[in-house]
Amino acid sequence: MAGNGLDGRGGMGEFGRRLLLAVDAEGYGRADVVTQREFQEAITRLLGEAADAARLDREGWTTQMGGDSVFAVLPPEASEPVLVDAFMRSLDAGLRVFNRNRNPQARLRLRAAVHFGPASPGANGFVDTAPVEIARIRDSAALRTALKEAPEACLAVGVSATVFRDVVRGEAHTTLRKDEFRQVRVKEKEFRGKAWIWVPGAVEGLRRPKGSATAATAATDEVDEVSGSGQRHTTEVRGDVVAGEVAGEAVGVRTDQQSGSFNGTVKVDRVASTGTVVGVDIRGAGGEK
């Protein structure tokens, strides 16, 4: 059983930066009571089995359960690369076994988010910026759309910009490649930020969306090359967006480079009243257009 106290092992009695995990089941509210019970049992069991397979100390997690959702603060020694890589691969494998031979309406599909940042206990849960950011990533339209557009997938993972930069981008800490992730903008409630999405087994569908799309999927194709000196050198940036409808933001090319060549196309059937389509979005070093 995961620890839920705020003191002792895994407790959050003092300020600290911790590794956070947030999980939620897609379509839980549409399921009947029997299926909801099965989902709750499966989520708890599969998280535990994935943690054991990845050698993460499940007993050391400080956990908030919410029926179909889980929010966990991992102990200080927990490994970010292990959570992003081995844990998620094991969780995806467990979901596939659970869903085998089940009706489509009874399949358990999860959205998961990973972040590393400050978190501390409050009167009714965890407070500070990290719990807010990971919740917004998990519940974002971008992550929901990614799972929807990959109907055979069981899991969609969103990692914060911090985790992507420190764990994934260098391709030295995990077996994952950076091109298996897609950058998206998250605009949920008061939060504005970026995240990176990975859908195990559905990489190409995520990177090259076709048909109807929103800002969550019709986002950016960037070429980032980092030299040994740490400076970015991009000679050509290109990207293509094909969308049936844009209700948010669709960008053909987004780059923070102010030199080099830029090549991109945006093909959109319809732009909603709330939508924006940009061909090339060039930003300076400070992030300003």
Side-chain angles (χ1 to χ4, degrees):
M1 193 68 184
N4 292 305
L6 299 180
D7 298 316
R9 189 183 185 196
M12 294 293 295
E14 298 179 0
F15 170 86
R17 296 183 183 276
R18 295 291 184 89
L19 181 58
L20 309 178
L21 169 69
V23 175
D24 193 77
E26 191 72 14
Y28 178 84
R30 297 190 299 270
D32 58 47
V33 174
V34 173
T35 303
Q36 288 180 348
R37 287 199 181 101
E38 292 175 343
F39 281 3
Q40 288 191 19
E41 184 279 331
I43 291 169
T44 301
R45 176 175 57 82
L46 292 175
L47 290 178
E49 291 176 353
D52 289 343
R55 297 185 179 180
L56 289 171
D57 180 14
R58 181 74 170 88
E59 295 298 323
W61 297 12
T62 304
T63 307
Q64 291 178 194
M65 307 295 291
D68 64 324
S69 66
V70 176
F71 173 80
V73 181
L74 277 63
E77 65 273 14
S79 168
E80 293 174 65
V82 170
L83 183 63
V84 173
D85 191 347
F87 175 86
M88 292 301 175
R89 290 189 187 278
S90 296
L91 180 59
D92 181 59
L95 285 166
R96 292 184 183 279
V97 172
F98 176 81
N99 288 329
R100 187 175 299 161
N101 298 325
R102 292 179 71 91
N103 294 328
Q105 297 82 1
R107 293 175 64 224
L108 176 58
R109 309 176 76 217
L110 298 180
R111 304 186 316 277
V114 178
H115 185 33
F116 183 84
S120 58
N124 189 34
F126 295 94
V127 297
D128 220 320
T129 58
V132 173
E133 182 168 349
I134 193 172
R136 301 300 180 256
I137 294 173
R138 180 196 63 189
D139 297 334
S140 67
L143 198 57
R144 292 178 186 274
T145 301
L147 192 58
K148 180 180 179 180
E149 292 187 343
E152 297 305 314
C154 299
L155 177 67
V157 182
V159 303
S160 66
T162 299
V163 172
F164 181 83
R165 181 193 65 224
D166 296 342
V167 176
V168 178
R169 188 171 66 180
E171 299 186 345
H173 304 299
T174 72
T175 62
L176 299 167
R177 301 189 314 274
K178 64 183 180 182
D179 63 2
E180 294 183 71
F181 290 74
R182 179 176 177 79
Q183 180 183 320
V184 297
R185 288 195 171 190
V186 177
K187 299 179 180 180
E188 296 292 328
K189 296 184 178 180
E190 74 296 328
F191 179 77
R192 298 292 184 273
K194 295 181 180 179
W196 294 80
I197 293 177
W198 168 47
V199 180
V203 177
E204 290 303 318
L206 180 63
R207 291 169 56 194
R208 298 294 182 185
K210 299 294 182 181
S212 179
T214 66
T217 56
T220 312
D221 280 334
E222 293 183 329
V223 178
D224 289 340
E225 296 178 358
V226 182
S227 69
S229 64
Q231 296 180 342
R232 184 177 293 170
H233 300 281
T234 304
T235 57
E236 181 183 27
V237 179
R238 61 175 294 111
D240 300 288
V241 173
V242 178
E245 179 177 355
V246 174
E249 181 186 45
V251 182
V253 174
R254 177 178 289 125
T255 176
D256 61 6
Q257 294 294 314
Q258 301 185 65
S259 62
S261 61
F262 311 103
N263 186 348
T265 60
V266 181
K267 298 179 180 180
V268 178
D269 293 336
R270 180 179 179 273
V271 180
S273 60
T274 58
T276 303
V277 176
V278 179
V280 179
D281 183 1
I282 303 175
R283 298 169 181 266
E288 299 296 327
K289 295 183 180 180

